Amino acid sequence: MKVLELNSIAKEKGCIYYINRYSANAVIEVLKQKITFPISFTIEVTPFGAKTIEIDELPRDIEYPTIPLCKSLKEYITILDRDGTLPQT
C-alpha cells in the first residue's frame, strides 16, 4: 500500500487558531489498483510546538486494514505540512 497523493485539499474555517481542519481526497495504491476516497483530518499544535495529526473515520468500503492506512496517511500529511504545501486560508 502506498499513498500516491492528496488532492482537492481544503482548509475548513474554525475559531481555534491552533487547530486546523482539512478535507481532501486521498489516492492510494493497493496491489497495483488505485483507490480514491474522501478524508478529513485535523492538525493541532500543542503548547510546546509539537503537532498532532488526527484522521477522522475512514469510509468502510476500503478493503485494507485501517491502522497501517492511517499511519501512512499521517506520514504523508506530515510531509505536506513540513513542506508548507497545505492551504493556510
Side-chain angles (χ1 to χ4, degrees):
M1 193 279 307
K2 180 180 177 183
V3 178
L4 298 177
E5 67 175 325
L6 290 181
N7 53 30
S8 303
I9 303 172
K11 184 176 179 182
E12 299 172 5
K13 296 197 182 257
C15 324
I16 304 173
Y17 69 92
Y18 57 89
I19 297 177
N20 296 313
R21 293 195 46 79
Y22 297 92
S23 60
N25 289 322
V27 181
I28 62 169
E29 183 178 49
V30 178
L31 299 174
K32 300 189 184 209
Q33 177 184 9
K34 289 185 182 180
I35 302 171
T36 303
F37 56 92
I39 64 166
S40 58
F41 58 94
T42 305
I43 300 176
E44 181 177 351
V45 181
T46 66
F48 297 108
K51 294 184 179 183
T52 58
I53 299 172
E54 294 296 324
I55 298 176
D56 293 345
E57 188 173 333
L58 297 173
R60 297 204 184 272
D61 60 344
I62 299 173
E63 303 267 339
Y64 196 81
T66 57
I67 293 175
L69 178 57
C70 285
K71 183 175 184 262
S72 295
L73 284 169
K74 285 181 182 182
E75 290 170 357
Y76 191 82
I77 292 167
T78 301
I79 293 168
L80 292 179
D81 185 48
R82 183 188 64 217
D83 293 345
T85 56
L86 290 175
Q88 298 301 315
T89 56

